[in-house]
Amino acid sequence: MRYIQADFLFTGTGEVEEKSIVHLNEEGKILNIWKKGAEPKDIQIEYYQGAICPGFVNTHCHLELSHMKGLVATGTSLLPFLKSVVTFRDFPDEIINQAIIEGDREMWENGIVAVGDISNKLDTADTKSKSKIKYYTFVEMFDFLQDTMTATTIKNYKKVFDGQSDVGGNKKSFVPHAPYTVTKGLFAYIKSQNDASKTVSIHNQETVEEDMLFKTGKSGFIDFFSGFGFDMSGFKPTGKPSIQYSMENMNPKCKTIQVHNTKSTSEDIQAAHQWSNNIFWASCPNANLYIENSLPNYQLFLDNDATMTLGTDSLTSNWKLNIVSEILTIQKYCSYVPLQTLIKWACHNGAKALGYEDQLGSMTVGKSPGINIINVIKSKDQYILMTDKVTKLC
């Protein structure tokens, strides 16, 4: 038995308690939580400075790209970034596999207990089957808006899906990459493969060029695709934001994680909420700064009562795989978002998005959410995260 106490306890659902004591069994299951002074006498309490919080949920990662750390320049904007990813992606298997193992270990040591992970290949399958982390693998499909590529894409990605782990708490689903890379035919196939119990993920409105493509047809994406030999002469703009094309072709009954949303407007958020009550908005702030030197307008999401989650993206577009580092960045540039709210995004909301809320995401009796200590102080009525260091207790 363990009895854990810190200056603060973040429940993971938006509340903060001061100096509460958490009673755990040896497997990390929460047996009791006592307010200070209500705990039994004669117990040995482990006391930590800072705050207790549940294990973190990383709702957007590309573990298979871990070998590309530091290879792609920062601040280039999305289209040059994507071109670099294609250029640098192929490495010897032993380098790719070792980087995946190290990325998985890094996330676990940084207190991450569940990950929504994008997979285009089978490189991560072995590590996921052995990991202490729960993985929801999103087998990400794209045919570059080329109807002639749809059938081959389906055939190739079915092999990736079949080979990915769904044992030991792991899950998987087919997902579209982004509005600008998926035909209606491929969207239809993905929709047919996922029942309403599934979570799906899609990159959304990460650059102004994306909305320009769908609104006017005049976009850097035309030259980008043409540079790879794809014929865009048949593309017809919809006159609407790109998220509208996604929603027209996806299942509103599935849990849907919209990823990045750097350029999303209040109207976009409201339209998505009207389309489905299962929408989650994943923010990867360090990746947004790495690629586009910009962040989403978080106030729009707060004003529209959006269910936010946090992700790290890949080491291609980030310096580390650490959700606390993402929280620290938002706190630095958008300090109007309270820390307890950010912890909720990182814990409860993420667990709910991936369907793990019955086990993870909150300091709740009966759950085994993982227990982390983070470096938090209180100044007046505000909680301030001081560093991205995580002490993982279980």
Side-chain angles (χ1 to χ4, degrees), residues 353-366:
L354 299 184
Y356 291 124
E357 69 270 27
D358 61 332
Q359 310 164 52
L360 307 174
S362 66
M363 302 297 296
T364 302
V365 173

Side-chain angles (χ1 to χ4, degrees), residues 53-58 110-114 323-324 343 346-347 372 374 390:
C53 69
F56 303 114
V57 179
N58 179 359
N110 284 329
I112 294 171
V113 295
I323 288 295
V324 183
I343 297 292
C347 296
N372 296 327
I374 55 176
V390 180

Side-chain angles (χ1 to χ4, degrees), residues 216-327:
T216 68
K218 298 178 181 179
S219 166
F221 274 109
I222 300 296
D223 290 338
F224 176 78
F225 286 135
S226 298
F228 286 103
F230 299 127
D231 180 12
M232 297 298 291
S233 60
F235 177 78
K236 296 181 180 179
T238 63
K240 303 175 184 178
S242 62
I243 194 172
Q244 294 285 347
Y245 174 68
S246 300
M247 292 188 297
E248 288 168 5
N249 291 283
M250 297 176 73
N251 185 354
K253 295 181 180 179
C254 290
K255 291 181 178 179
T256 302
I257 303 175
Q258 300 280 356
V259 181
H260 292 306
N261 318 302
T262 323
K263 306 303 178 183
S264 298
T265 66
S266 184
E267 290 76 17
D268 294 327
I269 299 166
Q270 291 168 15
H273 290 172
Q274 291 173 2
W275 173 72
S276 172
N277 59 4
N278 287 315
I279 288 282
F280 298 82
W281 305 86
S283 184
C284 308
N286 285 331
N288 297 151
L289 293 175
Y290 194 110
I291 299 170
E292 291 261 347
N293 278 327
S294 64
L295 291 172
N297 184 343
Y298 293 111
Q299 191 61 55
L300 298 181
F301 294 91
L302 294 173
D303 290 345
N304 286 287
D305 197 26
T307 305
M308 300 291 293
T309 70
L310 295 178
T312 61
D313 215 327
S314 74
L315 287 174
T316 315
S317 58
N318 207 336
W319 299 268
K320 56 184 69 174
L321 301 177
N322 186 345
I323 288 295
V324 183
S325 180
E326 308 299 323
I327 293 172

Side-chain angles (χ1 to χ4, degrees), residues 161-188:
F161 181 86
D162 290 343
Q164 281 290 351
S165 172
D166 60 353
V167 298
N170 290 339
K171 306 178 184 182
K172 58 186 178 181
S173 61
F174 287 104
V175 305
H177 167 253
Y180 53 83
T181 54
V182 181
T183 61
K184 289 186 177 182
L186 185 54
F187 263 121

Side-chain angles (χ1 to χ4, degrees), residues 58 60-74 81 84-85 88-89 91 95-108 110 112 115-118 124 135 203 260 284 286-288 290-291 311-323 325-326 388:
N58 179 359
H60 185 71
C61 185
H62 297 250
L63 184 61
E64 67 188 16
L65 300 181
S66 296
H67 64 285
M68 294 174 60
K69 183 177 182 179
L71 295 182
V72 179
T74 61
F81 172 82
S84 294
V85 171
F88 290 121
R89 182 161 188 144
F91 267 67
I95 293 177
I96 292 174
N97 293 337
Q98 186 59 37
I100 287 169
I101 292 169
E102 291 173 0
D104 173 78
R105 182 186 305 120
E106 179 183 349
M107 286 194 283
W108 178 254
N110 284 329
I112 294 171
V115 177
D117 187 62
I118 302 294
T124 59
Y135 280 96
H203 294 77
H260 292 306
C284 308
N286 285 331
N288 297 151
Y290 194 110
I291 299 170
T312 61
D313 215 327
S314 74
L315 287 174
T316 315
S317 58
N318 207 336
W319 299 268
K320 56 184 69 174
L321 301 177
N322 186 345
I323 288 295
S325 180
E326 308 299 323
D388 64 5

Side-chain angles (χ1 to χ4, degrees), residues 120 139-157 174-191 202-203 213-214 221 224-226 228-232 235 245 249:
N120 303 118
V139 177
E140 182 186 73
M141 305 176 75
F142 46 87
D143 57 9
F144 299 106
L145 296 177
Q146 307 295 304
D147 290 321
T148 56
M149 293 179 60
T150 305
T152 301
T153 297
I154 291 170
K155 180 180 178 181
N156 291 340
Y157 278 92
F174 287 104
V175 305
H177 167 253
Y180 53 83
T181 54
V182 181
T183 61
K184 289 186 177 182
L186 185 54
F187 263 121
Y189 174 80
I190 293 169
K191 187 176 180 180
I202 185 168
H203 294 77
L213 176 67
F214 285 89
F221 274 109
F224 176 78
F225 286 135
S226 298
F228 286 103
F230 299 127
D231 180 12
M232 297 298 291
F235 177 78
Y245 174 68
N249 291 283

